[in-house]
Amino acid sequence: MDTVLDFLSNISWWMWVLIGLLLVAIRDVLQKRHTISHNFPIVGHFRYMLESIGPELRQYFVSNNREELPFNRIERGWIYASAKQQNNYEGFGTDRDIYEHQHIFINNAMFSYKLQDNHPNKVDPSFIPCAKIMGEYNKRRKPYRPGSIINVSAMSFGSLSAKAVESMNKGVKMAGAYHNTGEGGLSHYHRSGADVVFHFGTGYFGVRDEEGNFSLDKIKKLVEDFPYIKAIEIKLSQGAKPGKGGVLPASKITPEIAEIRSVPLGQDVLSPPTHSAFSTIPEMLQLIEDIAEVTGLPVGIKAAIGKMEQWKELANLMKKTGKGPDFITVDGGEGGTGAAPPSFADHVSLPWVYGFSQLYKVFKDRDLTDRIVFVGSGKLGFPAKAAMAFAMGADCINVAREAMMSIGCIQAQVCHTNKCPAGVATQSKWLQNGIDPTLKSQRLAQYFKTFRKEFIEITHAAGYEHPCQFTMDDIDLNINDRDLTRELSGAFKYNKKEVPFISMQDLKDCKYLGGKDAHIGDIEPPKETTKETTTLVN
């Protein structure tokens, strides 16, 4: 034994390296699972290593500023800089190809809208509430006017981490906006006092009985216990995977999540593709009315848009009965925070601009648009895109990935693996520790504030006081044909119906205005605000 130990101790370190490489080579040749490793022992491993870091190499060294998807470097940089109160300007002109297909042009007025000395935007340059009131037409007992035209879209606790949800909720409170819970139920982290839109899907998490069916009694008690719930949203489908139920992997289910959702530990949580509480348009309308009756709140629906026949049936029934959803959230078919098979994210349902334009025309043709608050959701978290959305008929927008980026998301695109390096979309305690809710909430609030400030400045440049006044003729799109550009009215073959609007002061004085606990003026600038440029590592 001593002889063997002496022999091993006399082997040089580089010989140990060679021995190790030899063992790896033998293992590679003998295995049949990976062809590259078998045919190219040792060297083949470098191929897999480079492939594993390929997205990072392309993101930081290969792709140009406008090339990446779903959000390019310029878009991400603008969100990061806006959230940190850094310089989000650009110099020497745009580096974007302004002749590309569907590039947006906003038609400015000869004279901008002039603010009077006592105007609300003189006091708060980022003040833009919704011009419509949810539930006003249907005479709900607790109507709600969103205090902000930009809000946090449906992202559940479970899909996002506890600290991410907490950061968003606190930030939304500071910004005077609302926070959509997503379909994972109302968690402790949604309870910082911000306005909340409670959202449920086919799994009925948080409002389900022991058999997993929807419980009217539970939603009634939930609203009674938590008065900051301002509206209810029923998810029919989502842009990431319309017609397919949600999936929360077992690896992301903690005891806390299992308790909130009333689901077992150690199993993937699968939401069915269809609702058990209704299966027809009349049944859905009845459920909406039942929920509105027991809670007193506005009730809306969320969907990605595809076939229009059932939407026409809904509109016809609304016209006939005088009843219906108080708001409709239109999700873009290009996908979002939800994990989905590429076949769904790439091909099922329409992108937001196509889907919304078709849906809006259905309700406009039946003179129903005044009843409904239209909420847009689908990469609209940039002022120019928001201007286009409002010109097409949107009354509010919800943002998901943009909100994630404002609190640290780096677009690693591993949300479905529980290995989010920024701690935003993971249940790993270690990875979450990188999120400071006090700081990140300020960043989300500041992103909202910067967005609204720039959006209202664009609105004033077009000669209007509020974005609801944008018309289809105020926005041009590149069409790439002999017309070169067309106004939205020509591209989508309709004109938005005029939204009743008196003044910003009238909106500010509304007794149903949400976000009244906002204290965005008290936001302390993050320490790095003295920097002149931003970084893509948030």
Side-chain angles (χ1 to χ4, degrees):
M1 185 66 178
D2 291 340
T3 303
V4 174
L5 292 175
D6 289 340
F7 172 76
L8 294 176
S9 64
N10 289 326
I11 298 176
S12 301
W13 65 270
W14 56 269
M15 292 185 66
W16 282 114
V17 173
L18 291 176
I19 292 170
L21 291 174
L22 178 62
L23 292 175
V24 171
I26 294 172
R27 176 261 179 197
D28 288 345
V29 171
L30 294 178
Q31 64 86 32
K32 300 293 185 181
R33 189 172 182 179
H34 300 289
T35 304
I36 297 298
S37 297
H38 173 82
N39 293 345
F40 302 95
I42 300 175
V43 178
H45 288 276
F46 288 99
R47 184 262 184 193
Y48 297 111
M49 291 171 59
L50 290 172
E51 183 182 42
S52 68
I53 61 173
E56 288 78 10
L57 291 174
R58 289 189 292 274
Q59 185 179 51
Y60 293 109
F61 301 109
V62 179
S63 299
N64 67 36
N65 287 345
R66 298 286 186 182
E67 197 171 44
E68 289 179 87
L69 290 173
F71 294 88
N72 64 48
R73 188 172 293 138
I74 295 295
E75 291 172 329
R76 299 199 319 276
W78 181 83
I79 293 174
Y80 296 152
S82 298
K84 299 177 185 179
Q85 285 185 278
Q86 294 177 351
N87 185 348
N88 64 358
Y89 284 34
E90 62 181 36
F92 212 64
T94 180
D95 63 353
R96 183 164 186 166
D97 178 7
I98 62 174
Y99 301 102
E100 69 178 345
H101 182 56
Q102 290 197 350
H103 184 75
I104 299 168
F105 299 95
I106 300 169
N107 296 320
N108 59 296
M110 180 180 287
F111 301 106
S112 298
Y113 179 83
K114 186 175 181 179
L115 295 177
Q116 301 301 316
D117 290 340
N118 60 348
H119 194 279
N121 288 129
K122 280 279 191 177
V123 179
D124 181 0
S126 67
F127 177 72
I128 322 179
C130 181
K132 291 181 182 176
I133 300 174
M134 293 179 176
E136 182 179 40
Y137 176 85
N138 289 315
K139 295 181 173 56
R140 308 304 187 197
R141 296 194 303 277
K142 302 174 186 176
Y144 175 60
R145 185 194 296 275
S148 169
I149 49 85
I150 179 173
N151 304 280
V152 171
S153 190
M155 295 181 287
S156 63
F157 170 53
S159 175
L160 299 190
S161 68
K163 288 193 175 182
V165 174
E166 180 183 356
S167 299
M168 289 184 181
N169 195 257
K170 290 180 176 178
V172 160
K173 182 179 180 180
M174 286 188 274
Y178 68 69
H179 188 180
N180 191 307
T181 63
E183 64 175 314
L186 184 75
S187 72
H188 171 76
Y189 309 102
H190 290 102
R191 303 176 190 176
S192 297
D195 290 352
V196 165
V197 172
F198 181 79
H199 169 112
F200 67 84
T202 56
Y204 306 118
F205 302 122
V207 289
R208 62 191 295 180
D209 60 22
E210 294 180 358
E211 287 74 39
N213 297 314
F214 175 74
S215 170
L216 201 59
D217 291 336
K218 284 198 172 183
I219 200 167
K220 178 182 178 181
K221 186 176 188 309
L222 188 74
V223 171
E224 289 174 349
D225 291 344
F226 303 105
Y228 46 79
I229 298 177
K230 303 297 184 181
I232 309 293
E233 183 176 80
I234 304 171
K235 187 184 81 170
L236 305 180
S237 59
Q238 65 183 92
K241 44 184 179 293
K244 181 177 174 63
V247 179
L248 186 65
S251 61
K252 294 183 91 172
I253 300 175
T254 65
E256 185 179 28
I257 292 172
E259 180 181 356
I260 292 168
R261 295 196 178 202
S262 300
V263 296
L265 278 170
Q267 298 179 21
D268 292 344
V269 175
L270 306 176
S271 300
T274 59
H275 279 269
S276 60
F278 58 88
S279 57
T280 66
I281 300 297
E283 289 176 357
M284 181 182 74
L285 278 187
Q286 187 59 53
L287 180 65
I288 289 172
E289 294 302 317
D290 290 344
I291 294 173
E293 178 60 30
V294 300
T295 65
L297 297 180
V299 181
I301 55 178
K302 173 184 177 177
I305 308 302
K307 295 180 179 180
M308 300 308 299
E309 287 78 7
Q310 289 175 313
W311 289 105
K312 292 175 182 177
E313 181 185 350
L314 170 62
N316 290 335
L317 197 56
M318 289 175 63
K319 186 73 174 178
K320 179 180 178 180
T321 64
K323 301 177 180 180
D326 300 293
F327 63 96
I328 297 176
T329 302
V330 178
D331 207 6
E334 52 267 63
T337 56
S343 55
F344 272 81
D346 293 348
H347 300 290
V348 182
S349 84
L350 296 170
W352 189 86
V353 290
Y354 303 145
F356 183 85
S357 60
Q358 291 198 27
L359 178 92
Y360 187 88
K361 282 188 281 189
V362 168
F363 290 93
K364 179 180 180 294
D365 290 345
R366 292 158 178 80
D367 197 27
L368 296 170
T369 56
D370 289 345
R371 302 185 187 184
I372 304 165
V373 174
F374 290 98
V375 183
S377 176
K379 295 178 68 174
L380 299 175
F382 304 92
K385 290 184 177 180
M388 178 190 70
F390 273 73
M392 295 176 69
D395 301 297
C396 282
I397 64 168
N398 286 351
V399 294
R401 289 169 290 183
E402 298 95 317
M404 291 168 64
M405 285 187 275
S406 75
I407 66 167
C409 167
I410 61 171
Q411 193 172 276
Q413 295 180 274
V414 292
C415 309
H416 57 297
T417 66
N418 203 34
K419 297 178 181 179
C420 170
V424 176
T426 178
Q427 297 308 312
S428 164
K429 297 295 186 183
W430 171 257
L431 293 173
Q432 287 187 57
N433 284 336
I435 297 179
D436 176 5
T438 301
L439 172 64
K440 299 300 186 180
S441 61
Q442 292 173 354
R443 289 187 176 175
L444 182 135
Q446 189 58 49
Y447 160 59
F448 275 19
K449 178 180 180 181
T450 303
F451 172 94
R452 294 191 309 228
K453 179 177 179 293
E454 290 196 14
F455 191 18
I456 201 66
E457 289 171 348
I458 288 176
T459 303
H460 293 164
Y464 299 127
E465 184 181 8
H466 189 283
C468 74
Q469 295 172 285
F470 274 109
T471 73
M472 299 285 278
D473 294 333
D474 291 316
I475 311 293
D476 279 20
L477 285 179
N478 274 341
I479 303 299
N480 285 358
D481 63 7
R482 286 179 295 178
D483 293 327
L484 299 183
T485 69
R486 283 187 190 170
E487 294 168 340
L488 289 177
S489 56
F492 294 102
K493 308 300 182 186
Y494 75 95
N495 280 295
K496 162 193 165 183
K497 187 173 179 182
E498 182 179 351
V499 175
F501 173 74
I502 299 174
S503 68
M504 280 286 200
Q505 188 64 49
D506 179 64
L507 303 186
K508 185 176 182 180
D509 296 338
C510 176
K511 63 180 180 180
Y512 303 124
L513 182 66
K516 292 183 178 179
D517 293 331
H519 51 278
I520 193 164
D522 300 331
I523 296 175
E524 292 294 331
K527 294 181 180 179
E528 60 269 40
T529 55
T530 56
K531 296 179 182 178
E532 291 300 319
T533 57
T534 190
T535 174
L536 287 180
V537 179
N538 198 20

